[in-house]
Amino acid sequence: MSRNASYSDYREMLDEIASRYDKARAGYEFDFATEIEPFLKQNKVLADQLLQIQTDERLTERVREIMRRADGNS
């Protein structure tokens, strides 16, 4: 992905991560070679772009955790 991603690109990736997390919690065992590795390769650039987003210094890890809890994502 050479372009900057759109919000829907990020949302789609995060929704897929949440879906896979739920499946794993329910006992599904993913195959690394056919399910995990392709997903990681497909989303590597997108994840790198997320890391490059500059945030306010007040958005500490503690604040992020509080926000996750308030959103219901623990």
Side-chain angles (χ1 to χ4, degrees), residues 31-50:
D31 179 72
F32 185 82
T34 62
E35 296 174 288
I36 302 297
E37 190 173 29
F39 177 78
L40 294 174
K41 285 181 179 179
Q42 175 185 349
N43 291 289
K44 181 182 181 349
V45 173
L46 186 61
D48 287 342
Q49 288 177 358
L50 280 172

Side-chain angles (χ1 to χ4, degrees), residues 12-62:
E12 184 178 315
M13 182 183 73
L14 293 174
D15 288 345
E16 180 63 23
I17 290 169
S19 173
R20 288 171 181 240
Y21 178 72
D22 289 341
K23 284 177 75 172
R25 287 189 60 174
Y28 182 82
E29 292 188 27
F30 290 90
D31 179 72
F32 185 82
T34 62
E35 296 174 288
I36 302 297
E37 190 173 29
F39 177 78
L40 294 174
K41 285 181 179 179
Q42 175 185 349
N43 291 289
K44 181 182 181 349
V45 173
L46 186 61
D48 287 342
Q49 288 177 358
L50 280 172
L51 291 174
Q52 300 306 313
I53 295 173
Q54 297 297 314
T55 58
D56 190 297
E57 65 273 358
R58 295 172 289 180
L59 188 58
T60 64
E61 190 56 40
R62 178 164 162 58

Side-chain angles (χ1 to χ4, degrees), residues 60-72:
T60 64
E61 190 56 40
R62 178 164 162 58
V63 172
R64 289 177 196 211
E65 183 60 32
I66 291 168
M67 290 172 60
R68 280 191 288 267
R69 288 183 188 160
D71 190 33

